[in-house]
Amino acid sequence: MAASGSYEGVLLGMGNPLLDISAVVDDAFLAKYDIKLNNAILAEEKHLPMYDELASKGNVEYIAGGATQNSIRVAQWMLQIPGATSYMGCIGKDKFGEEMKKNAQAAGVTAHYYEDEAAPTGTCAVCVVGGERSLIANLSAANCYKSEHLKRPENWALVEKAKYIYIAGFFLTVSPESIQLVAEHAAANNKVFLMNLSAPFICEFFRDAQEKVLPYVDFIFGNETEAKIFAKVRGWETENIEEIALKISQLPLASGKQKRIAVITQGADPVVVAEDGKVKTFPVILLPKEKLVDTNGAGFLSQLVQGKSIEDCVRAGCYAANVIIQRSGCTYPEKPDFN
């Protein structure tokens, strides 16, 4: 189904498509694999046996995931305009890869996956304890994305068509070259380029790649933990989220860029938005702690592409997060009731 007129392919995401293997575990499981709650990391050797152990649990669920893919799926759901969103990333030629393709199609997202011949589709262990989560990503094929795929005419056409392009910081570990191509295209063509800080380890260990792309970023999303690490590695000597958001919004811009807006979530505390040298805070719709996970910019994107105000974007972000928080994995009811 084609999107109605101007919304066709309006929002493009690029990232690491991962199949989430989600299960409720206990503290002993966390200790065994040296996992901290409310964290996102890349799998090391010691984590590899964990995937099979999770898969053997009675309550295990498999859900198409990956931070950017989730955001695009949720934005597509919020928009309710078939074909409004598209996505690129790398999967393997296997059963999980087929699952991913089916899932994207069912969500109404136009997905152009690069299919790697050798590596299996990436997976992400989602360990849930008392409503809090820890994510351990085994990128596998997701790590094999190449800019050659992006440059193919049928794929670059998705970039040409998009007016908003969203990429999670996680993709910086995979294909900074692809990010740079898209970021420069957005700057040259007056399009909106959005990124997410994604995780403390990205801010800490992939600072150079992050630094290179930041001048092109119109909207930067993050949570309070990521923001503090971002500030710390730059020696800003403050843990005040409003100050940090302001400083991030005022970092240098590439030529052709007008301004940057920084959006920092703080769990149950207000969302901080820094724009034009000022900071605003927006309360979140409160949920009991055990229902809280970080909002992922998705609801925000769905309103932004429709030209709505920042206030509406933040409200939609909170709405989407609230709906998804109360369900397992990144799943959602048939239709949103946001207005």
Side-chain angles (χ1 to χ4, degrees):
M1 283 167 80
S4 55
S6 64
Y7 283 112
E8 192 190 341
V10 67
L11 174 63
L12 167 67
M14 294 178 69
N16 302 335
L18 304 172
L19 195 72
D20 284 348
I21 304 175
S22 177
V24 174
V25 301
D26 54 20
D27 290 334
F29 185 94
L30 298 182
K32 179 176 176 183
Y33 293 108
D34 189 22
I35 301 166
K36 289 190 200 65
L37 276 178
N38 295 319
N39 200 8
I41 59 169
L42 294 177
E44 296 169 38
E45 204 66 41
K46 65 183 177 189
H47 297 120
L48 299 180
M50 174 184 69
Y51 294 86
D52 284 340
E53 189 174 337
L54 269 183
S56 70
K57 292 197 176 292
N59 60 11
V60 69
E61 288 185 283
Y62 295 90
I63 302 152
T68 305
Q69 184 162 247
N70 281 343
S71 292
I72 296 298
R73 276 174 46 223
V74 174
Q76 176 62 49
W77 168 72
M78 289 282 289
L79 280 162
Q80 293 287 308
I81 304 167
T85 62
S86 52
Y87 176 78
M88 286 187 263
C90 184
I91 56 176
K93 290 197 160 178
D94 51 22
K95 149 174 131 267
F96 282 174
E98 288 307 311
E99 190 68 29
M100 202 78 87
K101 284 194 262 190
K102 279 210 300 264
N103 220 289
Q105 201 176 359
V109 175
T110 307
H112 287 201
Y113 295 112
Y114 169 53
E115 293 181 49
D116 191 81
E117 299 290 337
T121 296
T123 49
C124 181
V126 181
C127 304
V128 183
V129 178
E132 295 185 283
R133 313 182 312 164
S134 188
L135 311 177
I136 304 93
N138 186 12
L139 297 182
S140 300
N143 206 25
C144 303
Y145 190 83
K146 306 275 184 292
S147 58
E148 288 70 56
H149 176 262
L150 173 64
K151 291 173 190 165
R152 282 185 211 149
E154 68 274 24
N155 300 325
W156 189 254
L158 296 181
V159 179
E160 294 278 356
K161 203 179 276 184
K163 296 186 178 77
Y164 295 80
I165 299 166
Y166 174 75
I167 301 179
F170 291 123
F171 203 50
L172 287 167
T173 76
V174 173
S175 187
E177 189 192 345
S178 298
I179 299 179
Q180 209 62 31
L181 284 170
V182 169
E184 287 170 12
H185 164 85
N189 294 278
N190 206 14
K191 295 179 172 185
V192 180
F193 185 62
L194 311 98
M195 274 197 91
N196 202 308
L197 297 176
S198 294
F201 84 88
I202 298 287
C203 301
E204 206 164 355
F205 304 115
F206 292 87
R207 179 185 167 173
D208 292 351
Q210 194 182 50
E211 203 91 323
K212 199 174 165 200
V213 75
L214 269 172
Y216 297 93
V217 179
D218 298 283
F219 283 82
I220 187 95
F221 300 95
N223 65 28
E224 76 273 41
T225 318
E226 294 148 10
K228 284 176 187 173
I229 294 285
F230 187 96
K232 189 176 155 193
V233 299
R234 282 166 182 76
W236 288 353
E237 296 187 348
T238 177
E239 291 212 330
N240 178 308
I241 297 303
E242 296 189 17
E243 267 178 56
I244 295 170
L246 201 54
K247 274 177 156 331
I248 294 176
S249 73
Q250 292 170 331
L251 287 169
L253 292 162
S255 69
K257 289 286 172 186
Q258 303 308 311
K259 65 172 179 181
R260 180 184 304 107
I261 297 177
V263 182
I264 309 294
T265 60
Q266 315 183 77
D269 293 327
V271 176
V272 174
V273 178
E275 173 183 12
D276 294 330
K278 298 192 227 4
V279 174
K280 285 186 183 149
T281 59
F282 299 91
V284 301
I285 312 160
L286 277 187
L287 275 172
K289 176 174 179 291
E290 65 273 11
K291 287 186 175 171
L292 278 176
V293 291
D294 271 315
T295 65
N296 57 15
F300 191 101
L301 293 169
S302 72
Q303 303 308 298
L304 190 68
V305 303
Q306 298 179 73
K308 300 284 175 67
S309 70
I310 296 294
E311 189 163 5
D312 283 343
C313 292
V314 172
R315 271 198 322 117
C318 293
Y319 166 78
N322 266 280
V323 171
I324 288 154
I325 283 159
Q326 300 183 60
R327 301 169 72 90
S328 103
C330 184
T331 61
Y332 35 80
E334 194 186 340
K335 285 200 164 33
D337 61 0
F338 176 78
N339 50 43

